[in-house]
Amino acid sequence: MMNMKTLLIIFFSIAIAFPAISQINWLTTGAKWAYDFSSYGSYGLSKLEVTKVDTTIGNHIYKKLLSTIIYVNTGTINTSLDTIIETSYAYEENNIVYGYEPNLFPFVNILYDFNRAPDDTLEFMFFGGQSPYPFVVDSVGTLKMNGSTVAFQDINFPDIFNPGQLSKMRVIEGLGSMDSYFFHTHTILQPFDAPSYHFRCYEDSNVGLINLSYNQVDCDYLEGVTSITEATKVKATVSPNPSNDFVTVITEGQLIDKIYIVDILGEIRKIKIMTSQELLTLDISELENGLFFMFGKDKTGKIRFTQKITKYGS
């Protein structure tokens, strides 16, 4: 029979081998998400919040989530015309998140399943329209956020612009997808003129604020409406976009000092000093396929322009 000392050694060995994760819970009351939103030439801010209301649907108790989309129209917001409020529902069970959307069929969907392992197919994922298929778990792991260790999945799916090539999205436990809406059916992945949502912030009373916006703007920031700076905007064009290897940035004026390329998790992937104020060519061939953000700063550190760019190809 094992003595107490042996039992303690075994206990601590297990604790070291299997560190505690999932300190960010799904669907905490009061939890808030913020997304950059764009669709058919318009843009704005989309916010999602878990309310205090519980609703029984079928045999399960769902959390009620309130979604607000604020469209920007010529630099102002007309709240009666430019704000859309929707209600959705979700619940979590055994590390699987289920969503219910009264106005979209099918009404109940599996949104996230963190029991899946690498090479598992996520047959439940659907983004509407030209949704690519299949979605396959490429890898899993953990990362630190505000002192909490959370799990993530990197998921591969077909690149509809390049047959045979794959794109990748990251899903973080408790937060959801980094480059689509929490409820997937709101988003169509990849087509440039279709609705797109890109994760900006998450906040709840347990873990505080997690800001993954590419230029660390405030969660409620709306360009042209709640501007973070009085800096003069610089007109900038980026071409070709999408691109496999090089992009050319053309700017007007003498304001840009550095160009940054940032991934969807907010990590700076490339910095380039503007040696010519009118023209700059950047090599993006080493970047993986997917969406990135480009922004230009002046010598004071103020952001003068932002652009989305897509890397594709081998």
Side-chain angles (χ1 to χ4, degrees):
M1 191 171 184
M2 290 184 290
N3 59 32
M4 181 60 68
K5 181 177 180 181
T6 303
L7 286 172
L8 286 174
I9 292 173
I10 293 174
F11 172 80
F12 284 113
S13 298
I14 293 173
I16 292 172
F18 299 97
I21 61 173
S22 304
Q23 295 181 35
I24 295 181
N25 297 319
W26 294 97
L27 306 170
T28 300
T29 299
K32 299 177 182 178
W33 292 257
Y35 300 90
D36 291 309
F37 167 79
S38 62
S39 177
Y40 303 102
S42 63
Y43 69 95
L45 175 70
S46 178
K47 301 188 72 175
L48 184 68
E49 181 174 0
V50 180
T51 72
K52 298 179 180 179
V53 178
D54 291 339
T55 302
T56 300
I57 302 173
N59 298 321
H60 298 281
I61 298 176
Y62 284 72
K63 290 284 189 180
K64 180 180 179 181
L65 289 83
L66 193 63
S67 170
T68 304
I69 300 174
I70 303 173
Y71 289 86
V72 175
N73 182 17
T74 63
T76 62
I77 297 176
N78 182 327
T79 54
S80 63
L81 298 176
D82 300 329
T83 302
I84 296 176
I85 299 177
E86 301 174 334
T87 302
S88 300
Y89 303 85
Y91 77 94
E92 185 269 335
E93 185 176 70
N94 298 325
N95 227 10
I96 302 175
V97 181
Y98 300 83
Y100 173 80
E101 299 177 89
N103 300 318
L104 293 173
F105 181 83
F107 304 118
V108 178
N109 289 287
I110 295 177
L111 302 178
Y112 305 101
D113 185 350
F114 270 78
N115 301 310
R116 299 300 184 100
D119 298 325
D120 284 350
T121 297
L122 303 171
E123 64 278 353
F124 52 83
M125 275 197 168
F126 175 73
F127 290 81
Q130 304 177 50
S131 180
Y133 188 84
F135 292 82
V136 178
V137 178
D138 176 64
S139 60
V140 298
T142 60
L143 50 83
K144 287 283 190 181
M145 285 188 164
N146 288 3
S148 296
T149 302
V150 296
F152 70 82
Q153 295 173 333
D154 284 334
I155 299 169
N156 288 335
F157 58 91
D159 187 324
I160 64 174
F161 297 114
N162 300 281
Q165 300 293 322
L166 295 175
S167 291
K168 182 174 291 186
M169 65 185 301
R170 172 162 289 189
V171 174
I172 297 178
E173 192 171 19
L175 279 66
S177 172
M178 295 295 97
D179 49 352
S180 75
Y181 193 64
F182 189 87
F183 292 90
H184 308 315
T185 45
H186 282 61
T187 309
I188 300 176
L189 288 179
Q190 296 179 323
F192 300 118
D193 58 349
S196 65
Y197 296 78
H198 298 287
F199 186 94
R200 183 186 289 183
C201 299
Y202 173 84
E203 184 175 16
D204 70 27
S205 58
N206 296 319
V207 301
L209 175 64
I210 296 172
N211 188 332
L212 298 181
S213 60
Y214 65 95
N215 55 356
Q216 290 292 288
V217 297
D218 183 80
C219 296
D220 293 327
Y221 167 71
L222 278 169
E223 184 179 356
V225 180
T226 55
S227 180
I228 57 175
T229 175
E230 296 298 323
T232 304
K233 300 294 182 184
V234 172
K235 183 178 179 180
T237 58
V238 180
S239 63
N241 190 13
S243 175
N244 177 41
D245 42 25
F246 293 92
V247 294
T248 298
V249 184
I250 301 176
T251 63
E252 296 180 2
Q254 304 293 316
L255 297 171
I256 304 302
D257 179 52
K258 293 179 181 178
I259 301 288
Y260 295 77
I261 294 180
V262 180
D263 63 25
I264 61 173
L265 293 179
E267 180 181 348
I268 296 175
R269 304 294 295 275
K270 182 178 285 288
I271 302 176
K272 188 78 171 181
I273 297 175
M274 287 285 288
T275 54
S276 166
Q277 289 300 311
E278 298 296 330
L279 180 68
L280 178 68
T281 299
L282 290 92
D283 182 358
I284 62 170
S285 59
E286 75 277 12
L287 299 177
E288 66 274 15
N289 291 345
L291 178 72
F292 295 86
F293 301 93
M294 176 186 293
F295 60 95
K297 288 186 176 182
D298 64 17
K299 291 183 180 297
T300 69
K302 292 180 179 178
I303 297 173
R304 300 291 187 165
F305 80 85
T306 61
Q307 292 277 358
K308 294 179 183 179
I309 62 172
T310 301
K311 164 64 173 19
Y312 78 97
S314 57

